[in-house]
Amino acid sequence: MVEETPWQQALRYANRANPYPFYEELRKTPVARQPDGTYVVSTYQEIVALLHDPRVSSDVRKLPDPAPAPAEGSAEAEPITETVVSLEPNIITQDPPEHDRDRRMMMPHFVGPPHSPHLISDLEPEIRRIVDGLLDNMQGKTRIDAVDEFAYPLPVTVICKVLGVPLEDEPRFHSWIETALDSLDFGPEAASEEIQSRLAGGRQAVEEFGQFAAELLDRYAQQPGPGMLSAMVNEDGPETGMSKGVLVSNALLLIFAGHETTVNLIAHSVLTLLRHPDALEKLRRRPELIVPGVEELLRFESSVQFWHTRSAVEDIDIAGTTIPKGAPIFLAYGSANRDPKRFANPYELDLERRDNQHLGFSQGIHFCFGAPLARLEVQVAVGEFLRRVENPRLVEDPPPYRHNQIFRGPRHVLVDIDGIRD
Amino acid sequence: MTVPATVAELVRKFRANGRIVIVGASLAGLRAAEALREEGFTGSLTIIGDEPDEPYDRPPLSKQVLKGWVPADHTTLPRLREVNAQWRLGVTATGLDRAAKQVRLADGEQIPYDRLLIATGTRARQWPNPDEAALDGVYSLRSRDDAAQLQKALAAPPSRVVVIGAGFIGSEVTSVCRELDLPVTVVERGSAPLVGALGGVIGEIAAEIQRDHGVDLRCGLGVSSLEGDSGGHVRRAHLSDGTTVDADVVVASLGSIRNVEWLEGAGLASGFWGVGCDAGGRAFDINGVVTDSIYVAGDVARSPHVLYEYQFLAMEHWDNAVLGAEAAAHNMVNFEPHYRPHLLLPGFWSGQFGLNIKSVGVPPFGDEIVFTQGSVKERRFAAAYGRRGRIVAAVTFDHGKWLEYYGKLIEHSGPFPPPPPGWDQPPDMKPIPAEFPQPGVPTALPDVVLTGHDPSERAAEFRPRPR
């Protein structure tokens, strides 16, 4: 039996609740070659350098084919990118110039002065209504699940509204997303029979999800409706011509990303604050700290723990290692955000941390498209939760976690409460 | 008492009771004041500014303010912290007496200091003919008032605008004119817009962009005179090729002049190029010896830069004002070995013609340029500047997110041409001459003479050059 690398250990399901000790080990080798040929980068400066390095590709089609030989002694594993490449590229798996063009086409319909500077901020009252409604529903309860009853419904409702996806279809794509995510594993357990058997299901789910998105886009092509997807289909700016496949792929990306990451971020924020009563009390006393506070929560428990679609298109010398041309590169944001060379006392939750340029939303040209929306949602949700929930206590610590490593988050966060304030 | 203990006691006492005067109440002055308080300085702080307004931000003046999006008086700089200073606004500093350690004000008052920060910045070079400059409709753009007046004139609207000089300010004004759908003629002495800052290769691209946006661009020409009507309003510009352009607004964007006149006779290394100082902001005296009580920051400072062969650089950039002020402030209330260098990688940005232009490093330090990413045709690209096989600067047009990469390469003395990107490569990646004009030779520099015979008496002296 070959000893597992720190990275492999960090990816084991058993360590999902606390991968940080393994990250610490991992950072001793900032750029660590894994048995499968992947290069895992775990330190802040190196990740930032690669995020800005034009010799690093995000296009999964440029990954070597077939996948690197599995480590000795392990069973033949499916290439990790299989479920991703069955779709056309979206902005997250594209390089410039296609990436730049498509992102530029999508951006005006979402955020960004000068086109729609108020779109996100105008959503605030709606977000507040949703959050208040969710908290109202908890009235009379003594135990709640902060994931199912709070963290999950908010982002889903908001993203459906922003994109123009019928909310009644939500249970369908929720299950597709869950199935797809559960079939993706980047750790030593990927070769297990269980995960291998889930792969087909995952592929099927993506297929059906894609079909759903394609039909929705078709409907909007015939009859424009509210939301961003319709606007993208009926784009009549100077730059048009996203192919149908690329449109579908980007629509999936937006539905998916608007879903998964914010859920985990809210869940983790509640969990983290309940674990740090001093910070919780401080935030309750000084609600204005919610803005820097959410940034710290993003650093502390990054919603996206790492990203897996990058590769070197040239030999890249970094931190004493050469990442060879063609090698897949994993960027471990969750580790970088606790790199003591970048953040003083990284294991301390400091809601007033200065110079907190975390990688919770990445950096460079693939910087999170949805960051402004995610920030607003979490700020409102966490702020209201603290204001209205009386005496919240964590029931189970650590709580059960989802299977997926990238979108790491608790499956449930049970909280005992005394009541809900008005 | 040991020497370190004595020094620590001195520092403590100075921080508690020292008197600091900052001359210049703009970005650098304000940020220095804030940094001083941040550093624990609780002594008396006086900030002198010749404009009546509180410190304001300048970048919006040539963009949002001119377009009419933002009123000129809505550009006040946000305060990062309480500075608890005596503000002397609307009064000009007219002299510096280093022996008495006093700053002389226009109203006759003398302000004593223990340490002084010079942050007087620059001003716009005015149209050289005073009678013509006094015509209604002739503007320059540096202050908030300038911007407010020019905005009003552009909103009138004028029948045509003539912009003299196509540097960054001139080009931004021109861009706003086109956005407001005003006919505009640009007269530029150089071969193209932006050549001084970015060289002829990029200048050609800037020229095309301007022409595509309907600018009547005349390069290689000067304006020989401005002609007004009987009411004293400008009506016509006469160009050096004998042609004329009718216009009722003329914007002279002729670059900047450093505000150093008030330092005349103070015995500092100050002049046309700014006030010389070390990388920690400590001013040099006329002999090139560092002073202990006078500091410089912002546009008016020029200091040796380690990345550029220790050449003295004056950087009229926003972050230079902020970071230079912070470093100087830190050093004002500390002692060796706790001094901090101001080792900024220079950088600037500009918005014009719908484009975001950004740069890092010092482009004119390079002699070659290579396009590294994107497409010049689509006007979204990155280009690197090199000198002797080393990358020294980079510029991006709508490609700003890559600047960080080039910045790192420059900081690490990366190779030129830099390693090629893995995708989005421009068709031609061969370095070519960057085509910077020969630096102009200023005519008004004083002569420098050495006086005294005994080595211990030798000293430098500036003598005005006879015209």
Side-chain angles (χ1 to χ4, degrees):
Chain A
M1 167 101 198
V2 188
E3 199 185 333
E4 281 184 0
T5 65
W7 178 240
Q8 288 172 318
Q9 288 172 289
L11 296 183
R12 279 210 169 266
Y13 182 69
N15 297 323
R16 195 71 78 247
N18 186 16
Y20 298 106
F22 305 100
Y23 289 163
E24 214 169 285
E25 191 62 29
L26 183 62
R27 283 194 298 268
K28 291 178 183 166
T29 316
V31 181
R33 186 184 191 277
Q34 299 302 309
D36 65 357
T38 307
Y39 283 74
V40 176
V41 187
S42 55
T43 44
Y44 185 94
Q45 297 301 347
E46 279 67 31
I47 290 182
V48 168
L50 291 174
L51 283 172
H52 292 278
D53 194 322
R55 296 166 298 171
V56 174
S57 168
S58 291
D59 188 338
V60 287
R61 293 166 302 183
K62 290 177 190 162
L63 279 169
D65 196 36
E72 207 181 324
S74 69
E76 189 78 18
E78 286 268 1
I80 46 168
T81 50
E82 192 75 2
T83 33
V84 187
V85 281
S86 64
L87 285 168
E88 294 274 324
N90 56 46
I91 51 170
I92 212 168
T93 60
Q94 264 179 337
D95 286 337
E98 292 79 16
H99 164 274
D100 296 3
R101 190 196 56 220
D102 290 354
R103 183 165 167 137
R104 204 166 46 242
M105 281 169 60
M106 288 161 66
M107 197 49 101
H109 304 302
F110 182 59
V111 279
H115 305 282
S116 43
H118 303 298
L119 196 140
I120 299 292
S121 52
D122 285 354
L123 282 170
E124 185 171 342
E126 173 91 18
I127 292 174
R128 256 176 217 290
R129 261 198 304 280
I130 299 167
V131 168
D132 276 336
L134 294 171
L135 291 166
D136 288 344
N137 288 344
M138 294 173 194
Q139 250 146 7
K141 291 190 179 183
T142 53
R143 174 169 294 186
I144 56 161
D145 180 352
V147 176
D148 285 350
E149 294 173 66
F150 190 65
Y152 184 75
L154 169 67
V156 168
T157 313
V158 174
I159 196 67
C160 283
K161 183 184 162 67
V162 169
L163 296 177
V165 177
L167 196 55
E168 55 272 22
D169 288 329
E170 192 278 322
R172 293 164 73 205
F173 59 76
H174 179 44
S175 114
W176 289 323
I177 290 175
E178 290 273 292
T179 311
L181 277 185
D182 279 350
S183 73
L184 266 188
D185 192 305
F186 297 85
E189 288 148 313
S192 73
E193 242 171 74
E194 193 195 340
I195 297 294
Q196 286 293 305
S197 72
R198 283 191 206 159
L199 265 175
R203 226 169 287 142
Q204 167 90 14
V206 173
E207 203 82 6
E208 288 172 27
F209 193 7
Q211 194 59 39
F212 163 81
E215 281 163 20
L216 186 63
L217 293 172
D218 278 343
R219 275 215 305 282
Y220 280 138
Q222 280 153 22
Q223 173 78 54
M228 183 175 164
L229 295 183
S230 175
M232 280 163 63
V233 175
N234 296 293
E235 171 91 51
D236 58 354
E239 291 176 297
T240 50
M242 238 194 251
S243 77
K244 176 80 184 292
V246 173
L247 259 175
V248 168
S249 188
N250 278 310
L252 286 196
L253 172 69
L254 295 174
I255 299 173
F256 169 79
H259 224 79
E260 216 38 51
T261 48
T262 317
V263 177
N264 290 334
L265 186 51
I266 295 173
H268 260 143
S269 296
V270 170
L271 176 64
T272 303
L273 287 170
L274 292 179
R275 283 172 172 170
H276 295 82
D278 290 356
L280 184 145
E281 210 30 60
K282 190 179 196 176
L283 198 49
R284 212 202 302 269
R285 269 200 329 273
R286 297 171 59 194
E288 76 277 7
L289 285 182
I290 193 69
V291 172
V294 165
E295 295 310 302
E296 175 69 346
L297 290 162
L298 271 158
R299 181 193 71 82
F300 202 73
E301 296 278 15
S302 316
S303 279
V304 175
Q305 284 285 300
F306 62 96
W307 199 251
H308 60 290
T309 59
R310 286 185 173 79
S311 62
V313 273
E314 296 289 334
D315 286 0
I316 299 173
D317 294 329
I318 183 162
T321 305
T322 301
I323 304 178
K325 182 174 174 168
I329 303 173
F330 282 16
L331 302 179
Y333 300 135
S335 168
N337 281 340
R338 296 204 188 193
D339 183 347
K341 285 204 181 119
R342 177 61 179 82
F343 300 103
N345 306 318
Y347 288 83
E348 190 181 301
L349 184 75
D350 176 3
L351 300 175
E352 293 178 86
R353 188 178 287 274
R354 302 182 71 165
D355 185 26
N356 190 1
Q357 203 176 10
H358 60 76
L359 299 181
F361 290 125
S362 188
Q363 264 189 31
I365 61 166
H366 292 287
F367 178 83
C368 178
F369 189 84
L373 180 58
R375 283 186 161 122
L376 182 61
E377 286 181 35
V378 183
Q379 286 162 6
V380 173
V382 174
E384 284 299 282
F385 187 92
L386 294 186
R387 191 178 68 78
R388 293 193 57 193
V389 178
E390 289 180 52
N391 190 23
R393 281 111 49 209
L394 207 52
V395 173
E396 191 185 4
D397 194 8
Y401 267 73
R402 295 163 187 276
H403 184 85
N404 194 272
Q405 298 119 333
I406 297 182
F407 309 100
R408 168 177 166 266
R411 179 64 197 87
H412 301 284
V413 175
L414 295 182
V415 183
D416 279 346
I417 61 174
D418 288 356
I420 301 291
R421 287 185 198 93
D422 280 334
Chain B
M1 224 184 199
T2 60
V3 172
T6 314
V7 169
E9 180 58 17
L10 271 176
V11 168
R12 195 193 61 74
K13 272 197 182 147
F14 178 74
R15 285 187 189 184
N17 309 312
R19 294 169 305 175
I20 292 183
V21 171
I22 298 175
V23 185
S26 190
L27 181 61
L30 174 64
R31 290 293 178 255
E34 290 166 342
L36 284 168
R37 295 305 189 200
E38 192 74 35
E39 297 268 350
F41 176 71
T42 56
S44 91
L45 184 55
T46 306
I47 305 174
I48 299 161
D50 60 351
E51 288 186 69
D53 304 307
E54 280 194 31
Y56 55 86
D57 208 19
R58 294 183 199 274
L61 298 181
S62 56
K63 308 170 189 85
Q64 291 88 337
V65 171
L66 276 199
K67 271 179 238 176
W69 288 2
V70 175
D73 55 4
H74 284 216
T75 51
T76 303
L77 280 165
R79 298 288 179 86
L80 304 181
R81 59 168 296 138
E82 188 59 53
V83 295
N84 189 21
Q86 287 138 40
W87 292 86
R88 308 296 304 267
L89 298 178
V91 55
T92 311
T94 52
L96 171 63
D97 184 341
R98 284 171 60 213
K101 289 201 160 189
Q102 287 180 339
V103 174
R104 205 163 42 245
L105 301 187
D107 61 11
E109 210 184 333
Q110 316 258 2
I111 312 275
Y113 65 83
D114 299 314
R115 292 216 160 148
L116 169 71
L117 178 70
I118 297 169
T120 38
T122 62
R123 63 183 185 272
R125 185 183 301 280
Q126 301 295 316
W127 182 246
N129 179 319
D131 293 338
E132 295 172 13
L135 290 170
D136 282 344
V138 178
Y139 301 91
S140 58
L141 179 54
R142 172 80 193 170
S143 70
R144 188 189 255 191
D145 283 351
D146 295 342
Q149 287 176 26
L150 180 54
Q151 190 271 327
K152 226 167 96 190
L154 295 183
S159 60
R160 176 168 289 273
V161 179
V162 164
V163 177
I164 310 175
F168 279 105
I169 296 293
S171 295
E172 287 174 10
V173 170
T174 304
S175 168
V176 169
C177 289
R178 290 309 301 143
E179 275 186 69
L180 298 173
D181 206 23
L182 301 174
V184 54
T185 298
V186 175
V187 186
E188 162 62 42
R189 270 199 183 283
S191 62
L194 312 181
V195 275
L198 297 172
V201 175
I202 298 295
E204 269 316 305
I205 297 167
E208 268 176 38
I209 290 169
Q210 294 207 0
R211 292 198 167 107
D212 285 356
H213 280 82
V215 176
D216 171 26
L217 176 65
R218 321 258 187 109
C219 293
L221 287 182
V223 170
S224 36
S225 64
L226 298 175
E227 181 188 331
D229 59 19
S230 54
H233 194 104
V234 70
R235 290 298 170 211
R236 192 164 296 124
H238 294 266
L239 310 192
S240 56
D241 63 351
T243 58
T244 60
V245 180
D246 289 345
D248 35 19
V249 166
V250 172
V251 183
S253 55
L254 306 171
S256 54
I257 296 175
R258 291 168 178 85
N259 293 318
V260 294
E261 291 80 357
W262 69 286
L263 294 170
E264 207 167 294
L268 291 177
S270 71
F272 181 87
W273 301 109
V275 182
C277 59
D278 73 3
R282 296 186 297 168
F284 288 129
D285 76 3
I286 188 169
N287 304 308
V289 176
V290 79
T291 62
D292 288 324
S293 54
I294 301 176
Y295 291 74
V296 201
D299 288 2
V300 76
R302 60 188 290 251
S303 62
H305 200 301
V306 55
L307 273 181
Y308 298 98
E309 297 172 0
Y310 291 98
Q311 283 192 24
F312 277 69
L313 300 182
M315 299 181 262
E316 295 176 39
H317 303 331
W318 200 89
D319 8 348
N320 177 55
V322 173
L323 299 169
E326 286 173 0
H330 171 89
N331 295 339
M332 288 174 91
V333 294
N334 281 285
F335 252 131
E336 206 243 328
H338 302 291
Y339 288 145
R340 221 178 77 192
H342 168 49
L343 285 181
L344 174 72
L345 186 63
F348 65 83
W349 74 93
S350 171
Q352 45 181 283
F353 303 100
L355 286 166
N356 174 306
I357 302 176
K358 284 187 163 187
S359 161
V360 281
V362 181
F365 196 78
D367 45 24
E368 284 188 300
I369 187 169
V370 61
F371 291 96
T372 48
Q373 278 178 267
S375 156
V376 173
K377 207 170 129 241
E378 290 172 32
R379 282 148 191 180
R380 302 180 307 99
F381 63 84
Y385 294 85
R387 172 174 167 128
R388 292 193 209 111
R390 184 165 81 80
I391 178 172
V392 296
V395 62
T396 59
F397 277 48
D398 274 0
H399 246 50
K401 284 213 168 71
W402 296 106
L403 224 53
E404 166 116 8
Y405 171 71
Y406 296 100
K408 277 279 172 309
L409 283 180
I410 297 163
E411 282 174 7
H412 290 103
S413 266
F416 181 87
W423 29 259
D424 203 15
Q425 295 187 355
D428 189 357
M429 295 188 64
K430 222 175 70 198
I432 51 174
E435 292 174 13
F436 281 100
Q438 289 300 311
V441 179
T443 50
L445 290 190
D447 289 324
V448 181
V449 295
L450 280 182
T451 61
H453 295 287
D454 191 283
S456 65
E457 290 171 356
R458 299 273 272 179
E461 197 179 299
F462 292 145
R463 291 194 182 151
R465 179 173 281 192
R467 303 259 172 135

